[in-house]
Amino acid sequence: MSENSEKLIVTKIEDGTVIDRIPPGKALKILEILGIDSNYPYTVALAMRVASKKMKLKDVVKIRGKALTPQDTQKLSFIAPTATVNIIVDYKVQEKQNLKVPNHVEDFVDCVNPNCVSNAHEPIVSSFDVVSKDPLILRCVYCDRLLEQKYLNRKL
Amino acid sequence: MIPKHLFSTRIISKDFIEQIFSLASKIESNPDQFADKCKGKILGTLFFEPSTRTRLSFESAMLRLGGQILGFTSAKVSSAVKGESISDTIRMINLYSDIAVIRHYIEGVGEIAKNFASIPVISGGTGSQEHPTQALLDLYSIKKEFKEIDNLSIGVMGDLLYGRTIPSLLFALAKYENIDLHLIAPPALRLRKNVALRLKENGFKYNIEENLKDIISDLDVLYMTRIQKERFPDPVDYERLKGVYQISTEDIKNVKDRFIILHPLPRVDEIDYSIDKTKHSRYFEQALNGVWVRMALILIYLGID
Ligand SMILES: [Zn+2]
């Protein structure tokens, strides 16, 4: 397959978001974390395992009428750190963002520790430092426990 | 630098630890001189989890300083059973006392104190996360015995996974030089990953052992904790393993002359009573040291000379 064949599979969208260079096989997971399901009212195009010059194989997702929140982008950076986010207006790329795994995340996922104060009814939000990006490991600011890739894959 | 609240030995400096020890030592040699230092001051005691030793030790410390105590000793008698949050309870004690100690099974309470307390709050044990004042009195006991903590060979044996004194003890030890540390535990009860990671980040090295016999003759200090039956998913494992982590006079035949045994207490059956009478036992003195160390902490945190 060539770059050309991808264009045949995936149609252009008028406005919305194109997430490109997703690690192969992760596209469905990305739709899930963005809350895109069968009820989504606009065009969604998804291509899995298409040829890519940079990464041999990649997934691509195009979602019409969707703008990513900072939280969406954060989640995306953990699942698909290689991905680029293109904001499309009037069929044109208006902005291109490279994802960057942050060093700290808040109110993002629940702590793995049931006895953690961030899981109790207190006026605080969960808060984690990123101690490793590959594999992804978060450390709870409250209880110090580690959230490892396996747990995060289940939760994100 | 002294943190506003004391919930971890990880974030305090060696200088601060030594400051506590030097004051504790002064108090120990002349307690009467400190009998009125906290007159008119109130220690709030929030024990959401039952505690005998730690609570009595803190209360004794405050009373010996001439201060008073206000609080509760189990979540059953507090409004926690009515669903009051930890943050609201901390706000409340903030109004009624000058310094507070809190024990809770919930981990990360220190961060709540940071946000909601203007008075100093000290942990009296936080889940299985940490028990900083216990670690400080443990180290004080070691220092009293050997004058210096640097260069000692120390074994830590028992439940390293759930024992809350363990992370605090290791974080504090990591500040000293050339500690030859041996961790002796069944594979299922070894250090939590986050504790191991913190030690690694500090460049603190240790040896993992399964059998005390191999190393006991090299040790200056053996720090024991109890292994609780309920920590084992399979009771058969407990029965099989518990003997390995018990000691009697038989096991200490070839130890160094200056070898000592510490234990945060209460013990179950991991230290045989026959050891109590030997020159190597220090666990009862260790408990008394807790009062001096906590008196020192109260004075430092209240800013009283
Ligand atoms: Zn946590």
Side-chain angles (χ1 to χ4, degrees):
Chain A
M1 275 212 276
S2 69
E3 288 284 298
N4 238 358
S5 58
E6 176 208 327
K7 289 196 181 99
L8 294 175
I9 301 164
V10 182
T11 171
K12 280 198 166 187
I13 57 169
E14 187 184 334
D15 58 79
T17 302
V18 173
I19 307 167
D20 198 359
R21 288 196 212 137
I22 300 167
K26 291 277 171 72
L28 288 167
K29 185 76 192 171
I30 283 173
L31 290 182
E32 187 191 319
I33 63 153
L34 296 179
I36 309 284
D37 59 17
S38 57
N39 296 319
Y40 191 73
Y42 306 114
T43 306
V44 176
L46 178 151
M48 264 168 66
R49 298 203 165 82
V50 297
S52 157
K53 274 184 204 145
K54 281 213 169 135
M55 48 195 294
K56 283 189 192 161
L57 289 176
K58 66 175 182 182
D59 287 8
V60 182
V61 164
K62 303 190 179 190
I63 312 159
R64 199 188 151 195
K66 171 87 182 169
L68 301 190
T69 64
Q71 254 211 346
D72 288 338
T73 316
Q74 216 168 53
K75 282 189 188 175
L76 211 57
S77 75
F78 287 119
I79 293 164
T82 57
T84 52
V85 174
N86 301 300
I87 296 157
I88 309 292
V89 176
D90 216 1
Y91 294 105
K92 289 198 185 79
V93 177
Q94 201 197 43
E95 200 192 318
K96 210 177 182 96
Q97 305 175 326
N98 284 311
L99 294 176
K100 217 176 134 232
V101 178
N103 295 321
H104 183 85
V105 285
E106 290 193 352
D107 204 7
F108 170 69
V109 62
D110 291 337
C111 181
V112 65
N113 177 5
N115 284 334
C116 176
V117 74
S118 68
N119 286 323
H121 288 289
E122 298 293 338
I124 51 163
V125 294
S126 69
S127 176
F128 304 93
D129 291 325
V130 178
V131 291
S132 161
K133 294 184 178 181
D134 186 22
L136 182 61
I137 302 174
L138 308 185
R139 176 159 56 201
C140 177
V141 165
Y142 298 98
C143 71
D144 203 61
R145 298 291 172 101
L146 302 178
L147 276 58
E148 295 183 87
Q149 189 95 57
K150 237 169 76 185
Y151 171 82
L152 292 165
N153 285 348
R154 236 178 23 226
K155 289 286 171 175
L156 293 182
Chain B
M1 212 273 293
I2 300 173
K4 189 158 173 8
H5 310 287
L6 181 62
F7 278 82
S8 174
T9 54
R10 191 171 53 74
I11 54 163
I12 61 178
S13 67
K14 186 178 172 181
D15 284 351
F16 179 45
I17 296 178
E18 291 297 325
Q19 182 194 345
I20 298 163
F21 291 172
S22 121
L23 182 55
S25 173
K26 262 190 220 158
I27 297 168
E28 181 174 4
S29 59
N30 194 357
D32 291 347
Q33 203 192 315
F34 295 84
D36 292 318
K37 290 275 185 191
C38 285
K39 215 169 173 185
K41 300 287 183 189
I42 297 172
L43 170 74
T45 55
L46 310 178
F47 281 79
F48 288 88
E49 213 186 34
S51 156
T52 312
R53 255 154 270 269
T54 302
R55 180 174 57 82
L56 289 180
S57 174
F58 265 108
E59 292 186 355
S60 168
M62 192 52 166
L63 294 173
R64 281 170 191 263
L65 290 166
Q68 285 172 295
I69 291 141
L70 176 72
F72 57 84
T73 58
S74 153
K76 284 199 185 72
V77 298
S78 81
S79 44
V81 284
K82 295 177 207 147
E84 186 174 53
S85 65
I86 304 165
S87 42
D88 285 357
T89 309
I90 286 181
R91 276 185 174 125
M92 181 268 304
I93 199 74
N94 206 40
L95 305 174
Y96 300 142
S97 64
D98 303 291
I99 181 170
V101 52
I102 181 167
R103 167 172 289 196
H104 213 295
Y105 56 88
I106 290 288
E107 300 181 6
V109 170
E111 293 296 313
I112 299 283
K114 241 190 227 170
N115 291 335
F116 298 99
S118 55
I119 60 165
V121 183
I122 296 174
S123 165
T126 308
S128 346
Q129 189 177 10
E130 283 210 44
H131 194 352
T133 63
Q134 177 69 46
L136 290 171
L137 76 90
D138 297 337
L139 244 58
Y140 180 73
S141 306
I142 295 173
K143 189 175 165 102
K144 251 173 83 175
E145 193 73 30
F146 297 98
K147 306 289 179 279
E148 289 300 331
I149 295 165
D150 298 331
N151 304 311
L152 290 178
S153 182
I154 299 174
V156 179
M157 180 161 92
D159 179 355
L160 310 184
L161 181 62
Y162 298 102
R164 59 176 142 222
T165 67
I166 302 295
S168 294
L169 179 68
L170 300 184
F171 294 153
L173 278 176
K175 298 175 202 300
Y176 289 84
E177 304 297 322
N178 196 29
I179 303 289
D180 176 35
L181 181 68
H182 299 266
L183 302 182
I184 310 126
L189 295 179
R190 284 189 188 152
L191 282 190
R192 268 196 305 281
K193 278 184 182 170
N194 62 304
V195 178
L197 178 63
R198 290 289 190 187
L199 295 174
K200 193 177 158 200
E201 287 170 347
N202 278 320
F204 188 55
K205 299 219 164 57
Y206 50 86
N207 304 294
I208 296 173
E209 325 276 354
E210 271 185 60
N211 210 321
L212 178 66
K213 278 193 184 72
D214 306 336
I215 51 144
I216 194 164
S217 59
D218 297 332
L219 297 179
D220 300 306
V221 179
L222 175 62
Y223 186 94
M224 296 194 60
T225 65
R226 93 198 121 111
I227 290 187
Q228 289 163 285
K229 197 173 184 170
E230 56 271 25
R231 298 300 190 197
F232 286 85
D234 185 349
V236 178
D237 280 346
Y238 171 77
E239 292 304 327
R240 185 170 57 82
L241 282 168
K242 68 172 187 184
V244 181
Y245 303 96
Q246 287 172 341
I247 57 165
S248 67
T249 44
E250 191 65 21
D251 301 298
I252 58 167
K253 271 192 204 151
N254 298 315
V255 295
K256 285 184 189 172
D257 191 49
R258 64 178 192 170
F259 170 76
I260 61 164
I261 300 167
L262 296 174
H263 190 302
L265 304 176
R267 66 176 151 178
V268 185
D269 47 12
E270 56 277 8
I271 302 178
D272 191 83
Y273 291 128
S274 63
I275 293 212
D276 298 357
K277 296 185 292 284
T278 70
K279 66 176 181 177
H280 303 295
S281 76
R282 287 295 180 284
Y283 25 92
F284 297 118
E285 289 88 336
Q286 184 188 357
L288 176 61
N289 289 335
V291 177
W292 313 127
V293 168
R294 287 171 177 129
M295 285 171 80
L297 278 169
I298 291 170
L299 287 173
I300 291 170
Y301 270 96
L302 286 176
I304 297 169
D305 295 328

